Amino acid sequence: GENVEQHPSTLSVQEGDSAVIKCTYSDSASNYFPWYKQELGKGPQLIIDIRSNVGEKKDQRIAVTLNKTAKHFSLHITETQPEDSAVYFCAAKGYQKVTFGIGTKLQVIP
Amino acid sequence: DAGVTQSPTHLIKTRGQHVTLRCSPISGHKSVSWYQQVLGQGPQFIFQYYEKEERGRGNFPDRFSARQFPNYSSELNVNALLLGDSALYLCASSPEGTAAYNEQFFGPGTRLTVL
């Protein structure tokens, strides 16, 4: 089955700096890669996603890149703000099933 | 528009008991998936239902079962509860069950504690 590895597990950045979270996946059949933000006591919220036929996607301060050959994908957050502090999950989806990474706890220090 | 709703919010049970968790998807969404999220880990896929039929199952024992109703709401049932079943149970809805690219929208979850 699919295996998704995510790192780092924790990340502290100063407000205004950039944050990068990296994931790898094992199943070459995976074709959809969403990223979720989970705040304390809430369910995961989709923040950006990328499909396997696209190498990069950007939405304001958030960008995601995908390297299908290396089976790597990354989340980039620029100009971080205190409200970006949360746990971020990467995920990979093949046919029907979504496999999540272990999560990265991001702390943005004001 | 209402998002995915789940009930109850919190639940405390003892070992050996049975529990039923409920989920209402976003209006117009026909697919519901269930996930278990243990503290400090990512969600683990349990089931997906589409049009009342099971479309996917994760690596969970037969104590876990689910169903989807004609109005697309869903129930997750867990029998013979174990301490290790303590977790946040998440429901996610998506508009289609068979397309390759399905955005999933999660509910707030039900926090189950087994004593």
Side-chain angles (χ1 to χ4, degrees):
Chain A
E2 175 67 279
N3 182 45
V4 175
E5 295 188 357
Q6 180 175 350
H7 60 93
S9 56
T10 60
L11 180 60
S12 291
V13 299
Q14 291 290 331
E15 181 178 358
D17 287 350
S18 295
V20 179
I21 303 171
K22 298 183 179 182
C23 290
T24 61
Y25 62 99
S26 61
D27 188 351
S28 57
S30 290
N31 52 22
Y32 174 63
F33 305 91
W35 286 87
Y36 291 89
K37 175 183 180 182
Q38 188 173 27
E39 297 175 321
L40 201 61
K42 298 183 179 180
Q45 177 190 6
L46 179 69
I47 57 171
I48 195 167
D49 56 15
I50 191 166
R51 294 174 170 81
S52 59
N53 58 347
V54 175
E56 185 173 357
K57 183 177 178 180
K58 189 174 181 179
D59 182 5
Q60 299 182 344
R61 296 186 296 108
I62 296 174
V64 59
T65 60
L66 171 65
N67 182 331
K68 282 184 59 180
T69 303
K71 297 180 187 171
H72 289 172
F73 58 117
S74 300
L75 177 72
H76 303 252
I77 306 174
T78 59
E79 301 173 15
T80 54
Q81 302 167 3
E83 52 265 37
D84 294 330
S85 295
V87 179
Y88 291 81
F89 292 97
C90 63
K93 183 177 182 182
Y95 180 64
Q96 296 171 348
K97 180 180 175 181
V98 179
T99 302
F100 284 77
I102 198 168
T104 296
K105 184 175 182 180
L106 173 64
Q107 181 184 20
V108 179
I109 303 167
Chain B
D1 283 344
V4 177
T5 59
Q6 293 186 242
S7 62
T9 307
H10 297 87
L11 203 51
I12 298 175
K13 293 285 189 178
T14 56
R15 283 176 295 175
Q17 285 190 312
H18 161 271
V19 68
T20 298
L21 310 180
R22 296 178 174 83
C23 170
S24 292
I26 292 171
S27 178
H29 285 194
K30 298 181 179 181
S31 177
V32 169
S33 297
W34 286 96
Y35 292 82
Q36 180 194 66
Q37 186 177 23
V38 175
L39 196 62
Q41 297 185 16
Q44 297 289 316
F45 173 73
I46 308 175
F47 288 110
Q48 183 192 19
Y49 276 78
Y50 175 67
E51 291 279 17
K52 296 172 288 180
E53 291 192 2
E54 182 183 303
R55 290 300 183 96
R57 174 187 285 254
N59 267 348
F60 280 81
D62 291 344
R63 299 185 296 107
F64 288 77
S65 64
R67 56 179 175 169
Q68 186 176 33
F69 299 99
N71 66 353
Y72 304 113
S73 67
S74 178
E75 283 183 354
L76 175 70
N77 295 284
V78 186
N79 291 325
L81 285 167
L82 303 174
L83 295 179
D85 295 331
S86 296
L88 180 68
Y89 288 85
L90 295 162
C91 173
S93 78
S94 55
E96 295 178 277
T98 56
Y101 311 127
N102 278 349
E103 293 183 1
Q104 291 190 326
F105 300 87
F106 283 86
T110 293
R111 172 70 64 186
L112 172 65
T113 302
V114 182
L115 302 176

